[in-house]
Amino acid sequence: HLSNQVQWKPAPSTTHSENLQVKIILEARFQAGLRYIDEGFPQFIANLKSHFRQGVHGAAAMNCNPFTRGHQYLVEQASKQVDHLYLFVLEEDRSFFAYQDRFTMVQKGVEHLSNVTVLSTGKFMISSLTFPDYFNKENAFNPDMDFTYDFDIFVHFIAPVLNIKKRFIGTEPFCQTTAFQHEAMKKSLPPQGIEVIEIPRLQHQNQAISASRVRALLKTKN
């Protein structure tokens, strides 16, 4: 597993120089592995580089299926805490709303925020390649789900390119899979230099706004 290679720890008997050499080799293998898995990865990183700005930045990743006032509130709150916020929209088309529709909704919903850039996750954030259990969350909960690959790509490649120091998430009272991922994120990212900030969900009529509830209401034309 590529993510396990990056997390290699040196043996007590090796020298600092030897440790550094092994680490460089393993990180090179990790990068080569990403290129082997998907030839689009270098272009994905190049596109991120084109959006680089000076300052300390944050990131949030959302499916937005559909984009709600709850999502909008989270983005507004997050944007106040960083110089610039990179908002990643899940690209994989396995949702009730098509990717392009979701992306357009997000763009229109945050156009009043001058320090927010909307980007695609591509295949490298919360995708069937990096976190397949996310797309089965409405059918079953897998306590053995593995999102280390997703975290590794974000920490070692995406965050450094955009100088992301904060990852924003919303409280998750409904989805067990997402809540589990968030708890793992709180433990895994801070040691890597990325603060995880959880923002309480916006409520309406004493109930947290939920995209899944919006979908249910749409189905009944309510």
Side-chain angles (χ1 to χ4, degrees):
H1 196 285
L2 290 173
S3 61
N4 290 335
Q5 291 178 343
V6 173
Q7 294 170 356
W8 168 84
K9 294 182 179 180
S13 60
T14 56
T15 66
H16 175 73
S17 177
E18 289 171 333
N19 291 339
L20 183 61
Q21 289 177 17
V22 173
K23 185 176 180 180
I24 290 173
I25 290 170
L26 293 178
E27 288 183 346
R29 286 180 181 173
F30 182 58
Q31 294 186 40
L34 283 169
R35 285 162 174 74
Y36 175 77
I37 288 171
D38 194 290
E39 294 179 353
F41 186 69
Q43 182 57 45
F44 174 76
I45 293 298
N47 179 60
L48 293 186
K49 287 181 179 179
S50 71
H51 293 282
F52 174 78
R53 298 165 179 256
Q54 295 295 330
V56 177
H57 308 311
M62 301 177 174
N63 194 14
C64 300
N65 183 37
F67 185 74
T68 68
R69 290 186 178 180
H71 290 118
Q72 186 182 59
Y73 173 80
L74 190 151
V75 176
E76 289 172 343
Q77 297 306 306
S79 68
K80 296 175 183 178
Q81 302 182 48
V82 290
D83 295 319
H84 201 83
L85 180 70
Y86 293 98
L87 179 56
F88 291 87
V89 180
L90 271 62
E91 183 177 308
E92 197 142 342
D93 251 329
R94 295 175 63 177
S95 301
F96 185 85
F97 286 88
Y99 161 69
Q100 194 54 61
D101 292 336
R102 290 184 284 109
F103 196 88
T104 300
M105 278 189 272
V106 176
Q107 284 183 314
K108 291 182 178 295
V110 303
E111 60 186 1
H112 62 294
L113 302 171
S114 61
N115 69 329
V116 176
T117 296
V118 183
L119 299 169
S120 169
T121 60
K123 300 176 183 178
F124 308 104
M125 285 179 71
I126 314 181
S127 69
S128 57
L129 172 67
T130 65
F131 184 16
D133 282 295
Y134 178 85
F135 299 96
N136 298 320
K137 62 182 183 177
E138 294 189 10
N139 299 319
F141 171 70
N142 176 16
D144 298 318
M145 70 184 77
D146 185 6
F147 24 64
T148 53
Y149 193 31
D150 193 87
F151 289 173
D152 282 344
I153 293 175
F154 179 74
V155 167
H156 293 286
F157 295 94
I158 296 172
V161 165
L162 297 173
N163 197 31
I164 293 169
K165 299 298 183 183
K166 300 183 181 186
R167 178 93 177 241
F168 294 93
I169 57 176
T171 50
E172 183 48 74
F174 303 113
C175 176
Q176 192 174 7
T177 296
T178 303
F180 195 74
Q181 180 219 18
H182 285 181
E183 290 305 309
M185 193 183 298
K186 292 176 190 177
K187 297 176 182 177
S188 302
L189 267 56
Q192 304 284 349
I194 301 172
E195 182 183 4
V196 177
I197 300 174
E198 188 171 48
I199 297 174
R201 283 204 189 202
L202 180 67
Q203 295 198 351
H204 176 68
Q205 296 180 346
N206 297 318
Q207 185 175 4
I209 293 176
S210 163
S212 60
R213 183 162 184 262
V214 172
R215 294 194 301 273
L217 292 171
L218 283 170
K219 289 178 180 178
T220 59
K221 302 184 185 301
N222 185 350

